[in-house]
Amino acid sequence: MNDDGQLGTDTTVRFERMLPGPIERVWAYLTTSAHLAGWLGDGTIEPRAGGVVDIGKGHIRGIVTQWKPPRLLAYTWNVFGPDDVESPFPESYVTIELKPHGGDVQLTLTHRPILAGFEGLTRTGWHTLLDMLGALLRGEAPEPRQALMERNRVRYGVEKLPG
């Protein structure tokens, strides 16, 4: 035991993607229920700081910590099982920043901290979700989620997917 402050390091997953704009359209895909269903899952993100995040019928729950349309969205990320009252996992944080880049939009997604042992699975999941988002914004039908997850599982060296 030591009275001095200790420095720690958290594992962070970060993705950068160039998406077709305009920025307001990308923002809508990140924040409205009608668009979330096509890539992240059925659910809602209440449009304000302090708003409730509920994705996948309560599988992902959180609170919006930053709501600055159309450039910054941040929220807590808590994973729950079907019967969980409390999440068995530590809370983490998702931040999505948007910047216009000509007619396109640069999206930067940061998720931290990543629980030890979940690094590959977290990268697999976000890569898959962002592939689906990109397809939708390009006006394409996304590949099935499971096919994308399998391909990205191999990319990130994940032995097998849960479930």
Side-chain angles (χ1 to χ4, degrees):
M1 183 134 147
N2 185 328
D3 287 344
D4 294 343
Q6 304 296 310
L7 292 177
T9 57
D10 289 329
T11 301
T12 299
V13 169
R14 180 179 172 172
F15 282 92
E16 292 182 351
R17 296 284 177 102
M18 199 62 69
L19 301 169
I23 194 170
E24 293 81 8
R25 181 170 169 258
V26 177
W27 181 261
Y29 272 80
L30 297 175
T31 60
T32 62
S33 296
H35 292 304
L36 286 171
W39 70 278
L40 186 58
D42 289 333
T44 58
I45 298 176
E46 193 175 359
R48 63 180 179 82
V52 173
V53 175
D54 184 345
I55 306 295
K57 297 181 177 109
H59 177 61
I60 303 298
R61 300 179 209 163
I63 300 295
V64 175
T65 59
Q66 295 186 69
W67 180 268
K68 298 179 182 177
R71 56 186 180 80
L72 179 63
L73 172 65
Y75 49 88
T76 61
W77 181 274
N78 297 281
V79 179
F80 289 80
D83 299 320
D84 291 340
V85 174
E86 287 187 27
S87 175
F89 303 102
E91 184 172 72
S92 59
Y93 306 88
V94 173
T95 302
I96 303 171
E97 298 173 83
L98 301 177
K99 292 181 184 170
H101 194 270
D104 293 329
V105 176
Q106 179 183 334
L107 176 145
T108 303
L109 181 144
T110 307
H111 190 162
R112 64 174 175 77
I114 305 304
L115 190 61
F118 285 82
E119 299 90 343
L121 189 57
T122 301
R123 292 176 6 176
T124 297
W126 279 119
H127 197 121
T128 296
L129 296 170
L130 292 174
D131 285 349
M132 295 175 73
L133 174 63
L136 290 168
L137 286 165
R138 289 188 301 275
E140 303 166 0
E143 289 183 59
R145 185 179 302 224
Q146 280 311 114
L148 287 168
M149 286 289 285
E150 181 59 25
R151 185 167 61 242
N152 290 323
R153 174 195 71 76
V154 172
R155 167 180 276 172
Y156 293 111
V158 174
E159 293 272 329
K160 66 177 199 165
L161 296 171

